Amino acid sequence: MKRLGIFPNTGKDNVCEALPKFVALCREQGLEPVLSQHLMLPQHGCATYNLEDTSSLRQLDYAVSLGGDGTLLQMARYIAPLGIPCFGINFGKLGFLAEIEIDGVRKAINKLASGNFALESRSLLRAQIISGPTCTHEAHALNDLVLAKGAFSKLAHLQMYINGKPSGIYAADGLIISTATGSTAYCLSAGGPLVQPELNVSIITPVCAHSLTARALVIPLSEVIELRAVPGSEEMQLSADGENIAIVSEANYVRIEKSPYTMQFIRLTSRDYYQTWQQKLMRNI
């Protein structure tokens, strides 16, 4: 019996209500549901995993998030380094990453249990904060990395280098470095392009740049990006998929490159990305 790790957003009432039924559905279809041992809800007699214990997570054959794209991104932090295939069930609004809608759950679980699915790899980005010869922090992102102004600074002043060569100076609220997968997230809101998610590219998008010429830049994912604070500027905050990582100042810099990890998505529908864009982004036209 395959073990399915369930990562629910218990802050959503509809997820809490649906969880017992989802656990029962998994068992009905021949899957063993596994829940977090820290879940502040009844465990429904399930086996458990510990988010802080890699060996505990390795017991999972598959993983599923119950919530929106944010829930899936939180799950990705734990399972992407382990290569555990996953999918998401959308209890949120847009749901670009969580492809299964609530009314399609039974069919999706039936397909998963019978092995009737495809796997799709998505690239991640890795950020390292370098201070002298030392890497002080490291983070991986499925959607994006953001270097933004601190809580009290007016603008982020930063220099960008690509493969060691000066490639731009920005005065902006921040700079987004996103994967193709993340092109429909913060990058899109900041005026970046829509990019087919299987392309191996990085998208560099300034946020509210103090310039009439600053535009998004798409480069190969193999390129190495360095972001440094302009001398005399204030501290900046680095985040990965919405999670704050560390403060960046003149004393250190951020190195961004392709992550050694990939995210393995389980595809249980025939819906393609162009159809998803049409449905999610243009439905109000």
Side-chain angles (χ1 to χ4, degrees):
M1 185 179 291
K2 297 290 187 180
R3 289 191 152 196
L4 176 62
I6 303 172
F7 293 72
N9 181 352
T10 55
K12 291 181 177 289
D13 291 338
N14 55 350
V15 171
C16 294
E17 293 171 5
L19 185 57
K21 296 178 182 178
F22 184 73
V23 166
L25 175 62
C26 291
R27 288 173 171 152
E28 175 190 317
Q29 297 294 326
L31 295 170
E32 182 178 356
V34 186
L35 292 170
S36 170
Q37 67 182 34
H38 302 299
L39 193 65
M40 302 303 291
L41 290 170
Q43 297 289 352
H44 309 290
C46 294
T48 61
Y49 61 80
N50 181 352
L51 283 175
E52 309 306 323
D53 181 1
T54 300
S55 62
S56 173
L57 289 171
R58 288 188 187 279
Q59 70 177 300
L60 304 178
D61 296 293
Y62 313 120
V64 59
S65 65
L66 307 184
D69 284 353
T71 310
L72 191 148
L73 290 171
Q74 289 180 354
M75 176 179 70
R77 295 186 186 116
Y78 298 99
I79 68 167
L82 304 178
I84 299 170
C86 73
F87 66 104
I89 297 174
N90 183 30
F91 285 78
K93 295 179 180 179
L94 287 178
F96 279 99
L97 299 177
E99 68 163 337
I100 305 300
E101 301 297 333
I102 296 174
D103 58 3
V105 170
R106 175 171 288 275
K107 183 177 180 180
I109 294 302
N110 179 268
K111 283 187 171 184
L112 180 67
S114 62
N116 183 19
F117 60 85
L119 287 179
E120 177 185 303
S121 294
R122 298 282 187 90
S123 297
L124 280 73
L125 288 168
R126 176 173 67 184
Q128 295 176 313
I129 297 182
I130 309 297
S131 181
T134 306
C135 173
T136 60
H137 296 80
E138 180 173 295
H140 301 262
L142 175 62
N143 261 1
D144 50 45
L145 298 158
V146 180
L147 185 59
K149 64 181 183 179
F152 302 107
S153 61
K154 296 179 180 179
L155 284 175
H157 295 270
L158 54 93
Q159 297 174 312
M160 179 174 70
Y161 298 80
I162 298 178
N163 292 338
K165 297 179 180 180
S167 303
I169 298 177
Y170 295 90
D173 282 356
L175 201 63
I176 307 165
I177 313 296
S178 69
T179 62
T181 298
S183 71
T184 52
Y186 191 13
C187 171
L188 177 65
S189 299
L194 287 173
V195 178
Q196 211 277 353
E198 292 183 72
L199 295 178
N200 283 315
V201 297
S202 299
I203 309 159
I204 303 166
T205 309
V207 181
C208 298
H210 195 67
S211 169
L212 295 176
T213 58
R215 293 291 183 268
L217 177 65
V218 181
I219 65 173
L221 192 60
S222 57
E223 309 284 58
V224 178
I225 301 167
E226 290 181 6
L227 301 177
R228 298 175 180 265
V230 172
S233 61
E234 299 182 50
E235 293 180 335
M236 295 175 285
Q237 176 74 55
L238 177 69
S239 64
D241 285 340
E243 179 184 26
N244 288 338
I245 303 302
I247 296 297
V248 178
S249 66
E250 290 184 55
N252 49 34
Y253 68 93
V254 182
R255 175 187 172 95
I256 298 172
E257 60 192 334
K258 184 178 180 180
S259 170
Y261 306 135
T262 58
M263 189 74 168
Q264 300 295 316
F265 276 100
I266 297 170
R267 290 299 172 212
L268 297 161
T269 70
S270 59
R271 186 177 67 180
D272 65 20
Y273 308 112
Y274 308 110
Q275 184 181 9
T276 301
W277 292 339
Q278 179 76 17
Q279 291 174 345
K280 301 291 186 179
L281 293 178
M282 304 181 70
R283 57 188 174 185
N284 294 324
I285 295 179

